[in-house]
Amino acid sequence: MQRENWGSRVGFILAAVGSAIGLGNIWRFPYMAYDNGGGAFLIPYFFALVTAGIPILIMEFSMGHKMKGGAPLTMAKLNRKWEWLGWWQILISFIITVYYVVVISWAINYVGFSMTLAWGNETISFFTGDYLGLTGGPFEFGGFQLTILITTISAWVINFIVIYSGVKSGIERANKIFIPVLIVILLIILLRGITLPGAAEGLNMLFQPDFSKIADGKVWVAAYGQIFFSLSIAFAIMITYSSYLPKKSDIVNNAFITGFINCGFSVLAGIAIFSILGFMIHQSGGELPAKLSGVFLAFATIPEAINELPAFQKTIGVLFFISLTFAGLSSFISINEAAIAGITEKLYKPRKKVAAWYTLIAMIISLIFTTGSGLYILDIVDHFINSFGVAMSGLVEVILIGWFFKTKILKDHFQPISDFKVGIWWDIAIKVITPAALGITAIMNFANEFSKPYGGYDRTALILFGWSIVVGIIFLGIYISTRKWKNVHIFDYYDNDDNGEEV
Ligand code: PHE
């Protein structure tokens, strides 16, 4: 079967950047930096980018490019026993996609709300009450919220059309629209933000370095976690996207460009958000907004700030929520593409058919997050999958590849086709620094969880929406990997028994 290719190098980079830039850059990074030492956070953050982010991007790009497969096929070609890791990563992405889509649907609704400032003065109670219909706890479902349901389905439909249209005419084309628009909007909001009164105070809050935090292990764990989530590494995505690269492709350069655009975008988003927060503090006479993080930052605090703006409130509102929508959609599509590519190759069924079935099933599952208890369940699932899915599958990946695979095979693959060559730094990053950082992260996450169960939810909810998912997908991944590939010739292209040369 002929494998589709990206139409151009820029197309690939935009798609990779589209996956990387997402909700995480806009609402996660600014708060994380603020909470973990302000300006001083940039040191562990850039350290994590250079010692884990970019080296793993190079690794995943060259794995996908060399093996020409989605994550399960690529892993299986590296070593037949590793296929399960590819499925595990796809399942992690799948868990994320079913709630990520609902946040995108909120953003779409808020584009509409911006046009009339429908959230009124009490933005928090509008968000949780009028809009989400939030109930008393995770088991009180309280019915579907129709507005959310409709935009959630719309996001799935957009996703379906894009993926159905293929790599080049669907995904590449969509990102060629999303990413430039996103960057222009960010610059407009940034300009508006930094020219507001009080902006400087906000930026001081964000950037004032608290160097004592650098000695705190938690800050480093936060930095590595943010880099993994933000660059979409260890999610099966970058392997899949790079498998569509044409033969002559510069791996190293592409990884650097993707990493730096993503992190640059995060820093700019941080500046935009915090100058607006500074303006709010200025207006309210020094009081810090009630909610600085996560969903509340985007859907309650920013609307509150928009209310205060001297002019163009609605325009800024519309622009902000369009940027969330576009950032979200391009990441959302990448997650689903990784899963659909994996399933297509395993079952040897037409991509379009797989896309249709996948979308239908995933859409139905995602509807649970459109109920009145959606936010609670989302909060639990998100916490567990990030603490015990993302970081751990990344850890397993670097240990398997770094210690049990001849990394020289990968290096010999990407060095000749890349413009500038990497040195021993790459090996040390893959084999030593990243496994150590992720190992410590895993230990700290477990210790944290057992000393204090997450978020004050009751045990049943944490077991049902947390632990059973985290453990269940590992077994499901292993199970799927025991099933036969429907087209055995899919392995002919590369045989692991030889010395790693393509045949
Ligand atoms: N990288 C995206 C972000 O920063 C999120 C994402 C996570 C995308 C997992 C794909 C997979 O929001």
Side-chain angles (χ1 to χ4, degrees), residues 3 69-73 87 90 163 236 240-241 243-244 335-347 351 354 485:
R3 201 173 183 80
L73 182 58
W87 291 113
I90 284 183
I163 292 189
T240 311
Y241 270 11
S243 74
Y244 305 128
I335 309 181
N336 299 319
E337 169 60 24
I340 289 169
I343 302 168
T344 304
E345 288 162 1
K346 181 89 176 178
L347 299 181
R351 168 193 177 84
V354 174
W485 289 84

Side-chain angles (χ1 to χ4, degrees), residues 122-197:
E122 298 297 325
T123 56
I124 297 183
S125 66
F126 174 84
F127 176 59
T128 56
D130 304 22
Y131 179 61
L132 294 182
L134 194 63
T135 57
F139 291 113
E140 254 180 70
F141 295 107
F144 294 105
Q145 294 297 110
L146 202 59
T147 353
I148 306 178
L149 193 91
I150 293 171
T151 39
T152 299
I153 295 177
S154 318
W156 279 115
V157 171
I158 296 173
N159 167 73
F160 175 69
I161 296 172
V162 170
I163 292 189
Y164 184 91
S165 311
V167 173
K168 191 164 126 191
S169 8
I171 302 176
E172 181 167 345
R173 225 195 291 155
N175 279 296
K176 277 188 171 160
I177 303 169
F178 288 151
I179 301 306
V181 173
L182 194 58
I183 290 176
V184 172
I185 294 182
L186 174 71
L187 293 178
I188 296 175
I189 297 179
L190 183 77
L191 265 183
R192 174 66 282 210
I194 54 177
T195 50
L196 286 167

Side-chain angles (χ1 to χ4, degrees), residues 17-27 100 230 262 265 324 327-328 330-331:
V17 165
S19 175
I21 295 182
L23 305 170
N25 302 58
I26 300 178
W27 82 32
Y100 205 81
S230 189
N262 176 66
F265 189 97
L324 262 191
S330 55
S331 299

Side-chain angles (χ1 to χ4, degrees), residues 290-312:
K291 303 274 190 185
L292 281 177
S293 72
V295 288
F296 287 99
L297 171 68
F299 295 100
T301 306
I302 294 288
E304 200 182 326
I306 289 171
N307 287 342
E308 302 276 329
L309 289 178
F312 298 116

Side-chain angles (χ1 to χ4, degrees), residues 18-26 93 96 100 226 228-233 235 237 262 327 331-332 334-335 390:
S19 175
I21 295 182
L23 305 170
N25 302 58
I26 300 178
S93 303
I96 293 181
Y100 205 81
Q226 175 64 13
F228 269 76
F229 186 85
S230 189
L231 287 177
S232 309
I233 44 184
F235 280 108
I237 295 172
N262 176 66
S331 299
F332 175 59
S334 75
I335 309 181
V390 179

